[in-house]
Amino acid sequence: MTKTRFRAAVALTLAAGLTLSACGGGDDDASGGGESTTLSIVGFAVPEAANKAIAAEWNKTPEGKGVRFQTSYGASGDQSRAVVAGLKADYVHFSVASDVTRLVTEGLVDETWDDGPTKGVVSSSIVVLAVQKGNPKNIQGWDDLIKPGIKIVTPNPASSGAARWNALAAWGHITANGGTEEQATEFVKKLFANVVSLPNSGRDATTGFLNGAGDVLLAYENETILATQNGEELEWIYPDTTILIENPGAVLKNANPKATEWLNFVLSDKGQRQFALKGFRPIIDGVDTSGIEGAQDPSNPFPAPKKLLTVESDFESWSALSKKFFDEKEGIVTKIIAESGKAQ
């Protein structure tokens, strides 16, 4: 697929918003010999390709045979609010746990959604620094991002979960390496001073960067791998300090019973294998990670970072960090972006 066709396909998918598909077979599979089941999936933009691949594999099983999917993908926070406003969903797949918590507060998802072995997490990745081909600005790590003249692309934390992971990784680069919170605040201020594009979602940020915006993109590792799989020419740096991105998934209270079977498959070896093939890091042990096209080193597609931060170990909880960093009025990152004049 050419770059133009890939970008056009992404744009068309996002513009459509809702799509209906039957995966893993023709009309006979979709009908299953009778009335088919349709599951409504609402997710953040980044895992769409992986979810489609998982659906195709599930449709090959007795449990998934004949199941169709109505899907909606976009910025994580926007998608969560849309479900609250009435967008139909049997299963949600968001970037951050706080977007599921919103549904719990509204009575749409059970409070026990994160009681399982993976604590509600269905996919994972890490924050990397993507650069233009050849790395013309010689970006090697976080400290290079605050140099004069560096142009950064990152999505808007007001709408995007990916943006929140990026900001936490930048903050942790300072606090996890002996710096104070005051120094971390100053670093994040300098970083956002160099931001030239603040799109609504992680996928929008990736598309803009591939179209030439900026010198460096704060991105999910899986986004860089997927873009490379689709013929894009970009490179990425693994910073010495990064954060484990943990994306939650949940079945809604009023969901079709098939949604629980879908979630079980997503969490299985076969489901996680499909995530891995699209660049996500498996969340369970023993998953085959061979043959990951687009990875920098196919023999080691998911290298261990020198220092890997986690929400639980370094930021207490999503509830605590959401208030501290992303509160609509008093959040540290919210105020920094507002003061920068770059909030959309």
Side-chain angles (χ1 to χ4, degrees):
M1 179 180 289
T2 65
K3 293 183 183 180
T4 301
R5 288 175 60 198
F6 170 64
R7 293 170 187 164
V10 168
L12 181 60
T13 298
L14 293 178
L18 288 169
T19 59
L20 180 66
S21 61
C23 302
D27 291 340
D28 289 342
D29 285 335
S31 66
E35 183 178 354
S36 64
T37 297
T38 298
L39 292 182
S40 295
I41 295 180
V42 176
F44 72 111
V46 169
E48 180 177 8
N51 282 336
K52 284 185 176 180
I54 295 170
E57 289 301 306
W58 190 50
N59 280 150
K60 298 174 184 178
T61 70
E63 295 79 13
K65 182 178 175 63
V67 177
R68 297 168 67 89
F69 296 86
Q70 180 95 19
T71 62
S72 172
Y73 291 94
S76 187
D78 289 347
Q79 292 292 84
S80 175
R81 286 182 283 269
V83 173
V84 171
L87 178 62
K88 180 175 173 52
D90 292 297
Y91 168 81
V92 293
H93 184 185
F94 293 145
S95 178
V96 295
S98 55
D99 286 335
V100 179
T101 303
R102 178 183 289 113
L103 304 190
V104 173
T105 301
E106 295 292 330
L108 299 174
V109 169
D110 194 275
E111 292 182 355
T112 62
W113 73 274
D114 57 353
D115 282 355
T118 67
K119 298 182 180 180
V121 175
V122 298
S123 60
S124 72
S125 191
I126 61 173
V127 173
V128 299
L129 312 179
V131 297
Q132 302 291 354
K133 184 180 179 181
N135 193 7
K137 298 293 185 178
N138 192 31
I139 302 296
Q140 298 299 321
W142 287 108
D143 290 338
D144 293 326
L145 303 192
I146 63 172
K147 293 179 178 178
I150 298 298
K151 299 176 181 178
I152 300 170
V153 177
T154 184
N156 190 339
S159 58
S160 167
R164 298 189 174 198
W165 290 112
N166 294 342
L168 293 174
W171 176 275
H173 161 64
I174 301 299
T175 58
N177 292 292
T180 65
E181 292 203 348
E182 290 74 18
Q183 290 171 323
T185 300
E186 187 61 27
F187 179 82
V188 175
K189 283 183 179 179
K190 291 179 179 179
L191 186 147
F192 276 99
N194 279 351
V195 168
V196 295
S197 180
L198 211 60
N200 283 336
S201 73
R203 175 53 53 80
D204 289 345
T206 301
T207 302
F209 184 73
L210 293 174
N211 283 327
D215 303 311
V216 58
L217 167 71
L218 306 188
Y220 282 29
E221 176 189 39
N222 57 279
E223 275 286 87
T224 60
I225 292 175
L226 181 63
T228 304
Q229 289 177 359
N230 284 289
E232 300 291 351
E233 296 181 341
L234 81 165
E235 301 172 15
W236 62 96
I237 287 87
Y238 289 98
D240 289 347
T241 300
T242 188
I243 192 167
L244 178 64
I245 296 167
E246 297 177 300
N247 309 130
V251 172
L252 275 72
K253 286 182 179 180
N254 64 349
N256 186 298
K258 277 288 181 183
T260 298
E261 296 179 19
W262 158 257
L263 176 56
N264 290 338
F265 188 81
V266 166
L267 295 173
S268 71
D269 287 355
K270 290 183 178 179
Q272 290 297 306
R273 166 64 174 167
Q274 294 304 311
F275 269 128
L277 287 171
K278 297 300 182 182
F280 286 89
R281 296 185 173 219
I283 62 170
I284 58 175
D285 295 332
V287 175
D288 180 9
T289 57
S290 64
I292 310 300
E293 296 182 8
Q296 287 187 354
D297 180 0
S299 66
N300 182 26
F302 304 119
K306 292 183 179 179
K307 183 171 291 186
L308 184 63
L309 311 177
T310 67
V311 167
E312 186 176 15
S313 298
D314 299 281
F315 295 95
E316 187 179 343
S317 68
W318 263 107
S319 176
L321 73 83
S322 293
K323 182 177 181 180
K324 179 175 181 177
F325 294 100
F326 306 113
D327 180 84
E328 291 183 3
K329 293 183 179 180
E330 299 299 327
I332 293 173
V333 174
T334 303
K335 292 169 72 173
I336 288 174
I337 295 175
E339 292 169 2
S340 73
K342 297 175 181 179
Q344 294 184 357

